[in-house]
Amino acid sequence: GDVYWVRLEHGLPSQFDQMVRSLILDEAGGVYAAAGHELFASFDEGESWQRVAGDLPTVMALAVV
């Protein structure tokens, strides 16, 4: 399969690199990462991240629908 490189910095909490539970890439090139109770998104291959949601139930997996 294809291999994608994603940077996990610039906008993610400092502990995030230790706790990533799921990463997913959508057809438009967005990358989504989840850890604990938060969801983050990047639209520039991980150069920068923004928090999309917090206070979620513990996120165990992500899916593109």
Side-chain angles (χ1 to χ4, degrees):
D2 294 332
V3 175
Y4 296 93
W5 294 97
V6 175
R7 296 175 60 114
L8 296 176
E9 55 191 23
H10 303 297
L12 293 177
S14 60
Q15 76 276 12
F16 203 86
D17 61 345
Q18 301 286 322
M19 300 172 45
V20 172
R21 292 194 187 274
S22 295
L23 271 175
I24 195 164
L25 176 69
D26 70 14
E27 291 180 9
V31 180
Y32 301 87
H37 303 279
E38 297 181 288
L39 177 64
F40 291 83
S42 174
F43 301 100
D44 57 9
E45 298 180 346
E47 286 295 320
S48 62
W49 291 86
Q50 58 189 348
R51 184 174 182 242
V52 182
D55 298 325
L56 300 169
T58 301
V59 179
M60 300 302 291
L62 298 173
V64 175
V65 292

